[in-house]
Amino acid sequence: MVSLVQQMTPALTPDAGEQQELLARVAELETAAAAPTPDRGLVQRVAGGVLSTIRSLAHSPDVQRLAVEAVEQGIQSL
């Protein structure tokens, strides 16, 4: 999921600052989820931040929908 969102980032927004913000949130999510015993509450809060950031990027609604679905499915698999 992290790799997919990273790949979609340029399609989600052409703005370099928005891309950096999204990539930072995704990296934070990856770190939280990769912990030996992930704190489910922390992972969900961080994922909520990722989803919020993705939803605020309205440059490509179809890519946005795919990114949201990827994050939601990734969280459900934990």
Side-chain angles (χ1 to χ4, degrees):
M1 178 268 304
V2 168
S3 177
L4 180 61
V5 174
Q6 289 170 333
Q7 291 174 15
M8 292 177 160
T9 297
L12 285 165
T13 178
D15 182 272
E18 290 176 342
Q19 288 179 9
Q20 290 301 326
E21 179 183 350
L22 177 57
L23 292 173
R25 289 186 182 264
V26 169
E28 185 181 357
L29 176 58
E30 181 177 37
T31 299
T37 52
D39 177 337
R40 189 162 179 78
L42 174 62
V43 171
Q44 288 179 335
R45 282 190 302 279
V46 174
V50 171
L51 289 171
S52 177
T53 301
I54 291 170
R55 288 183 177 126
S56 73
L57 305 174
H59 300 282
S60 180
D62 291 335
V63 176
Q64 181 185 45
R65 182 182 48 78
L66 291 172
V68 166
E69 288 175 3
V71 173
E72 289 174 342
Q73 288 177 1
I75 297 307
Q76 289 176 2
S77 68
L78 287 177

